[in-house]
Amino acid sequence: MDDPRAYAALLEALSEAAPERVDTVRGETVWGAGRPLSSALMFTPPDVLARVDRAVRDATGAV
């Protein structure tokens, strides 16, 4: 997660949709080149994943 905008959007979306996951993602996630965000959010409900995806795309201007 090398884009600060994406990281901030991720944490904000999680804070709103799944606040219990924020500390774990912040403190225990090992980020790696080419690793999809969804792999770091394994076992996250689909609706939360969709919310995070939209937030990251909006924050970074991705399609």
Side-chain angles (χ1 to χ4, degrees):
M1 181 63 66
D2 59 353
D3 186 326
R5 300 170 302 168
Y7 187 68
L10 162 66
L11 294 179
E12 182 177 340
L14 281 179
S15 292
E16 294 170 0
E20 70 282 357
R21 296 194 51 100
V22 173
D23 288 339
T24 300
V25 168
R26 185 181 283 139
E28 297 180 21
T29 303
V30 177
W31 302 105
R35 181 178 181 205
L37 179 56
S38 59
S39 70
L41 298 175
M42 227 182 301
F43 308 115
T44 300
D47 60 314
V48 176
L49 286 176
R51 189 170 182 165
V52 166
D53 181 65
R54 177 52 39 208
V56 169
R57 289 177 186 276
D58 289 349
T60 61
V63 177

